[in-house]
Amino acid sequence: MGRRQRQQQQRRERGPGGWPDGGYPEIVKENALFERYYGELGIIPQGEWESFMAALREPLPATLRITGYKRHATKMQWRVPFVLVHRFERAHIQNIYSFIRYPEELAWHTNLSRKVLRKSPQLEKFHHFLVSETECGNISRQEAVSMIPPLLLNVQPHHKILDMCAAPGSKTAQLIEMLHADMDVSFPGKLLALANNNANVQEGFVIANDVDNKRCYLLVHQAKRLNSPCIMVVNHDASSIPNLQITVNGKNEILFYDRILCDVPCSGDGTMRKNIDVWKKWTTQNSLQLHGLQLRIATRGVEQLAEGGRMVYSTCSLNPVENEAVIASLLEKSEGALELADVSSELPGLKRMPGVTQWKVMLKDGQWFEDWKDVPSNRQTQIRPTMFPLKDEEKLKALHLERCLRILPHHQNTGGFFVAVLIKKSPMPWNKRQPKFQHKVLPEMGERAPVAAEQGSLETVEGHVAAEAKDGDSLIVESVESKKDGVCGPPPSKKMKLFGFKEDPFVFLSEDDPLFPPIQTFYALDPSFPKMNLLTRTQEGKKRQLYMVSKEIRNVLLNNSEKLKVINTGIKVWCRNSDGEQFGCAFRLAQEGIYTLYPFINARIINVSIEDVKVLLTEENPFLSKLSNEASNQVKGMAMGSMVLKYEPDPNLPDTLQCSVVLCGWLGKTSIRAFVPKNERLHYLRMMGVDLFKAKRKEEDVESKTEAGTTGSEGHVLEEVDLECKAKENSQLPVQAKDELDEQHVQELTEICVVESENKVGDCFSSSNKNQSTKNTENKDNADLSDLKH
């Protein structure tokens, strides 16, 4: 039997739904142990149990957030409801502002599930809009309750932030947005210049950590969409993440963070609306197994928190063993160094329940325990004393556990969530002695090299205090030789057991590097340009990419290369182009970092009109004659090579795009080209009023003509603008670097990575049954689709 015959036979054997009759069994959204446990705990208000269970059985609605610090994104804000309701009822979208008052109404909440958005023909235009804008960083698709913890951190531009369990990265992206939100300009370039010219100006940054090496790359994908030089992705166990050092006024100091997000792994029973396999896998044992890890991570977090700093602890679980029990234990052993912040006045409009003060512990066999002393000895490895509430009423009242936030699914059509905000008032009692620093003279250099001795720096693991460095021992932060060369490689294997891929080193350009002067001359860079913040990822051979980091990220890299496993940092600002060497500069500009780099560039800038921008973004290699006379005149006499294309809005034309646009271009002999990724092209065209959705439909009609080479100027289909197209044989255009092409991820990756649950679900919930869970929601989604058609 041939392959085609087998396929035909398989189609005949399939059931009415398109799947084999003996295929995926439907998951029943029932769990007797779950209902018994939460029913007896009494954390659901009286009379709301039926509504609570009914909400858990409904699919989770889709929500999204507009990137706050990008002017292009905020200008696009009005298009979100417009695109959705253009062919649809306005009743199917509501502003998330109505219940968590997201700043500037940048978050939106729909009443439609993700699958309905993907499958409904009436919403195809809106779904295409979401995917495209998400890929270029103007929109983040994130669950509503997941947006709450970063909001409660109250981030300021100068804050040093640690995200302890960051992957897949939606909250990290939100933190980056907040870091740049209060700036006078929309992008971090001018603040970067200000910080390097004024030592009193402090830069904020985000260090995003995750223990899973593979998930770290999802985190990188999320962070890179925002093009910020102030983000670093690292790979460590959050419960033992190392102390970092930074240089302040010529002296080494321990890095303490102003804000810490501690979104720990959890059992995930608050995510039943989107992870329906939790229904059949949920047991109380999941929470009992995760409690110790959650407490260790939270303890490590407050150790690294600066005095007066704020840490937000959050889970997507409703279980007090994972929530109030962890907070109560942490507060008790802090001996007054920590307090729960009262955030009742923050996020007005958010419906919340107070934290509980009394709860019981149950085993998976249904056996209850109200006190540690009731636990038999053979169960004391599963149940620990920290899982129970305090029996001393005065001490319990002093903890103010009612200040915790509980978000219930049926109150505002969201998932379940728990949040607690902690303020550090003084050092932790086991860290009273501040670390001391010594300076040791290295004879081969004859100079004083900074050497840090972490004396008394302690770390708590499961209630036991372990010394991180013995008294009198000294840890050399970094050898003088490596600091001199600016090489920040991965930590040696003797220091740490590495998992996953071995990362390339981070090599900063030296002061006398011959690579930089031609670049500086070609682009007439401002003398204030911080060239010491440029780095490459290769130690030998030709440097193919140049990346830029902020001053503080450079500080962290140089002082911690031996103890920190860095996955990614910096934004790409220049790419090597062999064709450019004959024109005086071997490096062309990269669109990824153009908004950070542009404030320093004083040459090779062409001012273009909005019509010029449309031509540059819709045609691959337009001739110079197609541009306006003003733009063509500016090009005369300019040498071939990389250039900047700048559009400034005209206030006398309010109907046109009213925000600046900066594009990377390449000037050939008779043509010009914009080096802009596909989705960013679509974004700019969308902002200029070009109907891209119709262009996609047109693409199907002209596809055969395009293949035959018969399409004229109208054959330039907007949706197929792709940087992988080959340059014309007679043009002087460079071939784009392979690694940049690889960064143009397909839409399927965006669907998986960006929309993936922001909440951490414990190892007890495997993703192997994801397809099974998806198929089991088909009946519900088909019903929703049928409703939409009427």
Side-chain angles (χ1 to χ4, degrees):
M1 180 183 297
R3 183 177 62 179
R4 182 173 299 179
Q5 292 176 324
R6 286 196 303 270
Q7 292 176 346
Q8 292 175 350
Q9 182 177 349
Q10 290 172 358
R11 282 194 291 268
R12 289 193 296 266
E13 293 174 354
R14 288 175 180 172
W19 294 92
D21 294 334
Y24 297 106
E26 183 175 355
I27 293 180
V28 179
K29 296 181 180 180
E30 300 286 346
N31 189 307
L33 187 64
F34 174 87
E35 297 188 35
R36 178 190 170 193
Y37 181 71
Y38 284 110
E40 293 193 30
L41 280 183
I43 64 173
I44 309 301
Q46 188 175 4
E48 298 183 15
W49 179 258
E50 294 300 327
S51 301
F52 169 73
M53 293 302 299
L56 286 178
R57 295 185 176 99
E58 292 293 323
L60 188 69
T63 52
L64 59 97
R65 189 186 72 256
I66 298 173
T67 302
Y69 82 91
K70 289 190 173 184
R71 285 183 178 173
H72 304 149
T74 54
K75 293 290 183 181
M76 180 192 64
Q77 179 178 352
W78 63 272
R79 293 188 62 85
V80 175
F82 173 79
V83 174
L84 180 57
V85 304
H86 183 63
R87 299 182 181 179
F88 202 56
E89 300 178 10
R90 184 176 295 272
H92 288 278
I93 186 170
Q94 71 179 56
N95 191 347
I96 202 171
Y97 183 82
S98 62
F99 66 93
I100 73 169
R101 292 193 180 272
Y102 200 95
E104 301 181 22
E105 300 189 19
L106 293 176
W108 296 81
H109 177 276
T110 72
N111 294 328
L112 305 169
S113 69
R114 285 165 45 194
K115 187 169 184 180
V116 169
L117 284 176
R118 288 196 302 267
K119 299 297 183 181
S120 173
Q122 294 129 314
L123 296 176
E124 183 181 1
K125 180 176 183 179
F126 182 61
H127 181 252
H128 176 265
F129 165 80
L130 286 182
V131 172
S132 177
E133 295 295 341
T134 298
E135 181 66 17
C136 59
N138 295 309
I139 282 178
S140 293
R141 299 158 77 179
Q142 180 181 1
E143 187 181 348
V145 291
S146 178
M147 303 179 193
I148 296 174
L151 288 175
L152 292 176
L153 275 176
N154 191 23
V155 172
Q156 301 298 322
H158 64 277
H159 281 160
K160 300 173 177 61
I161 307 169
L162 172 64
D163 192 349
M164 301 188 72
C165 309
S170 293
K171 293 187 185 71
T172 304
Q174 196 175 353
L175 292 173
I176 298 172
E177 296 169 23
M178 293 177 175
L179 200 64
H180 302 305
D182 294 334
M183 294 164 47
D184 295 333
V185 293
S186 301
F187 298 90
K190 291 187 178 179
L191 180 64
L192 191 66
L194 181 62
N196 282 277
N197 291 333
N198 187 350
N200 296 323
V201 177
Q202 294 184 350
E203 292 176 324
F205 60 83
V206 178
I207 295 180
N209 173 72
D210 201 85
V211 68
D212 190 319
N213 185 265
K214 293 181 180 179
R215 286 168 62 87
C216 282
Y217 293 97
L218 295 179
L219 182 57
V220 170
H221 174 74
Q222 279 277 48
K224 286 179 74 67
R225 298 182 305 119
L226 300 181
N227 300 333
S228 172
C230 306
I231 172 70
M232 177 191 294
V233 178
V234 299
N235 181 204
H236 288 275
D237 181 354
S239 64
S240 58
I241 189 169
N243 284 338
L244 303 183
Q245 285 82 29
I246 56 174
T247 302
V248 180
N249 297 325
K251 298 181 180 180
N252 274 13
E253 294 182 359
I254 292 289
L255 171 60
F256 290 100
Y257 301 94
D258 302 297
R259 297 290 187 268
I260 294 180
L261 179 58
C262 186
D263 187 46
V264 297
C266 65
S267 61
D269 54 22
T271 68
M272 284 180 162
R273 300 184 67 176
K274 59 182 178 182
N275 300 323
I276 62 174
D277 57 334
V278 177
W279 282 97
K280 70 174 185 177
K281 293 186 175 183
W282 186 92
T283 72
T284 57
Q285 191 68 22
N286 303 332
S287 299
L288 301 181
Q289 293 173 346
L290 288 168
H291 171 85
L293 174 63
Q294 294 163 340
L295 182 56
R296 293 195 300 273
I297 294 175
T299 301
R300 189 61 183 140
V302 296
E303 286 177 348
Q304 299 198 327
L305 186 64
E307 293 183 36
R310 176 178 285 204
M311 185 179 89
V312 171
Y313 174 91
S314 62
T315 73
C316 52
S317 170
L318 301 175
N319 199 325
V321 173
E322 303 179 62
N323 300 328
E324 286 88 352
V326 174
I327 297 300
S329 177
L330 192 58
L331 290 172
E332 183 185 17
K333 66 181 180 179
S334 73
E335 300 178 3
L338 299 173
E339 72 171 356
L340 267 174
D342 184 2
V343 293
S344 57
S345 61
E346 300 183 33
L347 303 181
L350 173 65
K351 295 180 181 178
R352 65 196 89 183
M353 296 295 296
V356 298
T357 57
Q358 296 295 330
W359 62 88
K360 300 182 291 184
V361 178
M362 187 174 73
L363 293 174
K364 63 180 179 181
D365 59 5
Q367 186 178 2
W368 286 98
F369 298 98
E370 296 187 8
D371 197 340
W372 164 250
K373 64 183 180 181
D374 300 330
V375 180
S377 59
N378 64 335
R379 297 291 191 179
Q380 290 183 1
T381 56
Q382 302 177 46
I383 300 178
R384 303 301 300 158
T386 54
M387 298 179 182
F388 293 91
L390 296 180
K391 293 303 179 183
D392 189 322
E393 292 295 334
E394 292 185 3
K395 289 184 177 180
L396 182 62
K397 186 177 180 180
L399 298 182
H400 296 291
L401 292 179
E402 70 279 357
R403 293 179 177 177
C404 299
L405 279 67
R406 284 183 161 270
I407 313 298
L408 300 181
H410 62 292
H411 282 171
Q412 288 173 299
N413 196 19
T414 64
F417 215 71
F418 173 87
V419 185
V421 182
L422 295 164
I423 304 294
K424 188 173 182 179
K425 301 167 62 178
S426 62
M428 304 306 290
W430 55 89
N431 277 341
K432 288 295 184 182
R433 290 183 298 169
Q434 293 297 322
K436 298 179 182 179
F437 294 89
Q438 302 173 351
H439 291 277
K440 179 185 295 186
V441 177
L442 297 184
E444 64 271 16
M445 296 299 296
E447 298 178 357
R448 300 182 70 87
V451 178
E454 298 184 29
Q455 298 184 349
S457 178
L458 305 180
E459 177 182 328
T460 299
V461 179
E462 293 187 359
H464 299 284
V465 180
E468 192 174 84
K470 298 179 180 179
D471 289 346
D473 291 346
S474 62
L475 295 175
I476 298 178
V477 177
E478 182 173 321
S479 66
V480 175
E481 182 178 356
S482 71
K483 179 170 285 190
K484 178 182 177 182
D485 294 339
V487 179
C488 303
S493 58
K494 293 182 180 179
K495 298 284 185 181
M496 181 188 305
K497 185 177 181 181
L498 296 179
F499 299 92
F501 300 103
K502 183 178 180 180
E503 297 296 327
D504 294 327
F506 295 83
V507 185
F508 285 94
L509 295 188
S510 60
E511 287 288 336
D512 55 351
D513 195 313
L515 195 71
F516 185 72
I519 297 176
Q520 187 173 27
T521 302
F522 191 73
Y523 297 103
L525 297 180
D526 192 86
S528 65
F529 178 77
K531 65 179 180 179
M532 74 288 295
N533 294 355
L534 291 176
L535 61 84
T536 66
R537 298 299 302 272
T538 179
Q539 202 167 351
E540 299 177 356
K542 279 190 175 183
K543 300 178 176 65
R544 298 192 175 276
Q545 316 289 340
L546 293 181
Y547 302 86
M548 176 177 280
V549 296
S550 68
K551 181 178 63 176
E552 294 298 332
I553 290 291
R554 179 181 186 272
N555 193 346
V556 173
L557 275 173
L558 287 177
N559 283 286
N560 301 278
S561 63
E562 292 188 0
K563 61 169 64 175
L564 197 62
K565 183 180 180 184
V566 182
I567 300 298
N568 189 275
T569 190
I571 54 174
K572 187 188 304 179
V573 289
W574 279 292
C575 303
R576 179 178 288 276
N577 178 14
S578 57
D579 290 341
E581 295 182 4
Q582 58 183 312
F583 308 129
C585 182
F587 286 85
R588 66 171 179 82
L589 298 166
Q591 183 67 26
E592 177 182 329
I594 189 61
Y595 284 99
T596 296
L597 200 59
Y598 174 73
F600 304 101
I601 299 177
N602 295 314
R604 303 191 63 78
I605 300 175
I606 301 299
N607 294 312
V608 294
S609 66
I610 193 169
E611 295 301 324
D612 293 332
V613 175
K614 290 180 181 179
V615 171
L616 290 166
L617 295 180
T618 55
E619 299 186 25
E620 183 185 351
N621 300 316
F623 289 105
L624 293 174
S625 58
K626 291 190 176 183
L627 301 182
S628 62
N629 292 333
E630 292 79 3
S632 299
N633 292 334
Q634 296 176 67
V635 172
K636 292 180 180 179
M638 183 179 292
M640 290 186 291
S642 186
M643 60 187 301
V644 178
L645 303 165
K646 177 69 178 296
Y647 163 76
E648 286 290 349
D650 187 350
N652 298 322
L653 300 175
D655 294 335
T656 60
L657 181 62
Q658 291 297 305
C659 59
S660 301
V661 175
V662 182
L663 307 176
C664 294
W666 183 271
L667 178 63
K669 288 183 179 180
T670 59
S671 64
I672 193 170
R673 180 183 183 183
F675 270 91
V676 183
K678 172 185 175 182
N679 285 298
E680 197 164 342
R681 288 178 181 242
L682 301 181
H683 165 71
Y684 291 129
L685 290 170
R686 189 178 289 113
M687 294 305 300
M688 290 182 286
V690 178
D691 195 338
L692 302 172
F693 191 73
K694 289 183 179 179
K696 183 179 180 181
R697 300 271 71 81
K698 180 181 177 181
E699 165 199 335
E700 298 175 354
D701 298 334
V702 302
E703 182 176 0
S704 58
K705 295 181 181 180
T706 304
E707 293 177 355
T710 58
T711 55
S713 59
E714 295 181 356
H716 292 283
V717 183
L718 300 182
E719 290 290 52
E720 290 298 311
V721 176
D722 197 330
L723 294 180
E724 294 184 80
C725 296
K726 294 183 179 179
K728 294 182 179 180
E729 293 182 0
N730 296 329
S731 67
Q732 297 292 332
L733 296 175
V735 178
Q736 189 172 18
K738 181 180 183 298
D739 64 332
E740 183 167 324
L741 296 177
D742 293 338
E743 290 177 3
Q744 308 305 318
H745 296 280
V746 294
Q747 293 183 0
E748 289 80 1
L749 177 61
T750 304
E751 289 285 278
I752 295 173
C753 298
V754 179
V755 190
E756 183 183 339
S757 168
E758 173 67 11
N759 305 314
K760 317 297 185 299
V761 181
D763 293 339
C764 49
F765 296 111
S766 171
S767 60
S768 59
N769 291 327
K770 183 179 292 185
N771 290 336
Q772 178 180 354
S773 301
T774 304
K775 297 303 175 185
N776 291 328
T777 60
E778 188 170 343
N779 293 336
K780 172 64 181 176
D781 290 322
N782 287 340
D784 292 340
L785 289 173
S786 63
D787 293 339
L788 296 176
K789 295 177 181 178
H790 298 292

